[in-house]
Amino acid sequence: LALDAMSKLVVYIVKYHTDTSSGNNVQAKVHFLTKIVSIVVLVVANKHEQQGHSFQQKPFFRLFSSMLSDFHAIEAELGPAYFVVLLSLSDAFSSLQPIYFPGFTFSWLTLISHRLFMPKLLLSENREGWAAYHKLLVALLKFLNPFLRSGSLALSSRNLYRGTLRLLLVLLHDFPDFLSEYYYTLCDAIPDVAS
């Protein structure tokens, strides 16, 4: 309940935030959200370092997931700011990538493949969200790289591998143009595995 309430508070602060000094309310809303999300990222980093192997990723996953849902609920009211909000969250997810925070990996994978995040970025006008999503996907593949090179996968890395395959299958089915556009860098991030 506390995390859902925190999410709603952040969303309402962004929704009702206005900048009277300049006429650009969209930029003011996103700037405010970026500050809030940066603080959350710092808290994740602090907890991840302090708790080590006992890091609890579920509360942070719940917060980000609730924010995606709550922002989606007011998408029409945010107007053009909604897409910029998604880009801001994409930057936060990029900061939280598994290479830096391995204890957040499964939540991170779930967040970047969230139904209110991935399709919204990839269906954006003029493919504006493609570069941001490409950055996240390459980060995932680079994290998987050493596991795939070893040839034998432990249970956790096997589950991560299966999740990545499912994500790639969804992209292949729903967004083949995205994969075609970035095939070279995506293939470059996948290691050659000797059999």
Side-chain angles (χ1 to χ4, degrees), residues 37-53 55-57 60 64 92 95-97 100-104:
V37 170
S38 296
I39 293 169
V40 174
V41 169
L42 288 173
V43 171
V44 173
N46 186 30
K47 291 290 185 188
H48 189 272
E49 188 168 326
Q50 281 181 349
Q51 295 175 349
H53 292 296
F55 173 71
Q56 295 296 317
Q57 59 183 319
F60 299 106
F64 281 115
S95 298
L96 292 170
Q97 61 184 278
Y100 307 127
F101 301 100
F104 193 63

Side-chain angles (χ1 to χ4, degrees), residues 7 10-11 13-15 17 26-40 64 67 71 78 81-82 84-90 92:
S7 169
V10 169
V11 169
I13 287 173
V14 170
K15 177 182 173 183
H17 180 69
V26 171
Q27 192 64 28
K29 288 176 188 292
V30 172
H31 180 69
F32 206 67
L33 174 67
T34 303
K35 286 183 176 183
I36 294 169
V37 170
S38 296
I39 293 169
V40 174
F64 281 115
M67 285 172 61
F71 275 120
L78 286 176
Y82 179 69
V84 189
V85 162
L86 289 179
L87 288 179
S88 178
L89 289 172
S90 174

Side-chain angles (χ1 to χ4, degrees), residues 19-195:
D19 188 7
T20 54
S21 61
S22 71
N24 193 349
N25 275 334
V26 171
Q27 192 64 28
K29 288 176 188 292
V30 172
H31 180 69
F32 206 67
L33 174 67
T34 303
K35 286 183 176 183
I36 294 169
V37 170
S38 296
I39 293 169
V40 174
V41 169
L42 288 173
V43 171
V44 173
N46 186 30
K47 291 290 185 188
H48 189 272
E49 188 168 326
Q50 281 181 349
Q51 295 175 349
H53 292 296
S54 60
F55 173 71
Q56 295 296 317
Q57 59 183 319
K58 288 181 183 180
F60 299 106
F61 167 74
R62 178 66 184 233
L63 178 62
F64 281 115
S65 179
S66 295
M67 285 172 61
L68 286 171
S69 298
D70 292 339
F71 275 120
H72 176 70
I74 62 165
E75 177 181 0
E77 297 168 50
L78 286 176
Y82 179 69
F83 177 72
V84 189
V85 162
L86 289 179
L87 288 179
S88 178
L89 289 172
S90 174
D91 288 341
F93 297 157
S94 182
S95 298
L96 292 170
Q97 61 184 278
I99 290 175
Y100 307 127
F101 301 100
F104 193 63
T105 301
F106 288 101
S107 293
W108 184 84
L109 177 60
T110 306
L111 287 169
I112 69 164
S113 58
H114 197 283
R115 66 183 179 84
L116 299 176
F117 179 72
M118 180 183 73
K120 299 285 185 178
L121 280 182
L122 297 179
L123 291 172
S124 59
E125 287 184 30
N126 302 322
R127 300 177 172 180
E128 291 177 22
W130 283 26
Y133 199 76
H134 170 254
K135 185 178 177 183
L136 295 171
L137 195 55
V138 167
L140 173 62
L141 294 174
K142 284 185 178 179
F143 179 72
L144 268 176
N145 197 320
F147 299 112
L148 296 176
R149 281 192 192 279
S150 71
S152 62
L153 298 173
L155 180 61
S156 58
S157 53
R158 188 178 306 126
N159 287 335
L160 182 63
Y161 176 72
R162 286 181 183 150
T164 304
L165 282 180
R166 287 179 181 156
L167 173 60
L168 290 172
L169 285 173
V170 169
L171 288 171
L172 180 64
H173 183 268
D174 294 345
F175 305 102
D177 293 343
F178 171 77
L179 290 177
S180 298
E181 179 78 20
Y182 294 105
Y183 80 93
Y184 187 77
T185 53
L186 294 175
C187 289
D188 199 34
I190 299 172
D192 295 330
V193 179
S195 51

